[in-house]
Amino acid sequence: MMETVRIYHSTWRMLLLALASLAFAVAGFLMAIHSTKGFHIVVGWIGVVFFGLGGLYMLYATLKERLTGKPFLTITDEAVIMEGIKQAVILFADVESFNVVKMGRQEFVAVHYKPDVERQKLDEANTFGRSIRWLNLRLVNAQENISTTGTGMKAQELCDLLNERTLPKRTSPFT
């Protein structure tokens, strides 16, 4: 039996990311209200929505972790439990493997489900969820991924830890 691993976001990193996002939202707002060109107005409002919601989510996630004591990721022998807007559980029994994927300068841990589970996940998702899963499949060849942004753990380190738990448990022939 392996020990349970709990991974929290760094409060300072998350607050800095939230402040940076909110600064971009303010810049977008200023662009939108001070511009006379339609394109700049649209880009400004898109920036307000995108960065504003991102910054607010980071504040929410940080406060939720600190107030409830629930980590962003909990890794047990059976599953990875990810806390977000809603909780996601990834059972190791459903996973073929994990690998690190890169999008721009960002690294994620991609979750590769067994074929029957992959089909089931798509079938069970609502329309929006199915769209996100298809988009992820096209971008990183996996329906789901795990970000380590804002945590103290590198993507490769998390990937290695998860793959260790995915491998079939071997018993010693001498026991």
Side-chain angles (χ1 to χ4, degrees), residues 1-73:
M1 190 155 136
M2 296 182 176
E3 87 177 61
T4 298
V5 176
R6 291 172 181 79
I7 301 169
Y8 293 86
H9 285 110
S10 162
T11 303
W12 292 110
R13 284 183 188 174
M14 290 299 282
L15 289 176
L16 285 173
L17 285 170
L19 285 173
S21 291
L22 294 174
F24 277 108
V26 168
F29 177 74
L30 293 173
M31 177 192 284
I33 64 169
H34 291 298
S35 181
T36 56
K37 295 183 180 177
F39 177 76
H40 292 150
I41 294 170
V42 170
V43 168
W45 285 115
I46 289 171
V48 168
V49 171
F50 180 78
F51 289 108
L53 289 175
L56 291 174
Y57 175 75
M58 286 179 228
L59 289 173
Y60 163 79
T62 303
L63 285 172
K64 181 181 172 188
E65 277 184 27
R66 297 301 167 239
L67 295 175
T68 64
K70 285 186 178 180
F72 167 60
L73 290 175

Side-chain angles (χ1 to χ4, degrees), residues 12-140:
W12 292 110
R13 284 183 188 174
M14 290 299 282
L15 289 176
L16 285 173
L17 285 170
L19 285 173
S21 291
L22 294 174
F24 277 108
V26 168
F29 177 74
L30 293 173
M31 177 192 284
I33 64 169
H34 291 298
S35 181
T36 56
K37 295 183 180 177
F39 177 76
H40 292 150
I41 294 170
V42 170
V43 168
W45 285 115
I46 289 171
V48 168
V49 171
F50 180 78
F51 289 108
L53 289 175
L56 291 174
Y57 175 75
M58 286 179 228
L59 289 173
Y60 163 79
T62 303
L63 285 172
K64 181 181 172 188
E65 277 184 27
R66 297 301 167 239
L67 295 175
T68 64
K70 285 186 178 180
F72 167 60
L73 290 175
T74 303
I75 305 167
T76 68
D77 286 343
E78 294 83 30
V80 179
I81 303 160
M82 217 174 359
E83 297 291 337
I85 293 174
K86 69 180 205 176
Q87 187 182 70
V89 178
I90 301 168
L91 299 173
F92 290 122
D94 293 343
V95 175
E96 276 188 356
S97 66
F98 297 92
N99 75 300
V100 176
V101 293
K102 211 171 180 176
M103 285 181 49
R105 294 175 55 204
Q106 190 88 3
E107 288 187 332
F108 300 91
V109 176
V111 182
H112 298 283
Y113 288 105
K114 294 175 180 171
D116 57 325
V117 176
E118 186 142 320
R119 180 82 244 153
Q120 178 187 350
K121 293 258 182 205
L122 276 172
D123 291 343
E124 290 175 352
N126 61 27
T127 304
F128 179 72
R130 199 170 300 125
S131 298
I132 295 297
R133 288 180 180 281
W134 277 111
L135 180 63
N136 280 339
L137 276 168
R138 300 287 185 278
L139 291 173
V140 296

Side-chain angles (χ1 to χ4, degrees), residues 136-170:
N136 280 339
L137 276 168
R138 300 287 185 278
L139 291 173
V140 296
N141 196 31
Q143 286 189 35
E144 293 180 18
N145 56 60
I146 303 168
S147 173
T148 57
T149 300
T151 70
M153 184 172 273
K154 301 281 184 209
Q156 187 62 57
E157 186 181 351
L158 177 62
C159 183
D160 293 343
L161 178 68
L162 297 175
N163 276 320
E164 278 177 27
R165 295 180 189 230
T166 303
L167 295 173
K169 310 296 185 261
R170 302 198 197 305

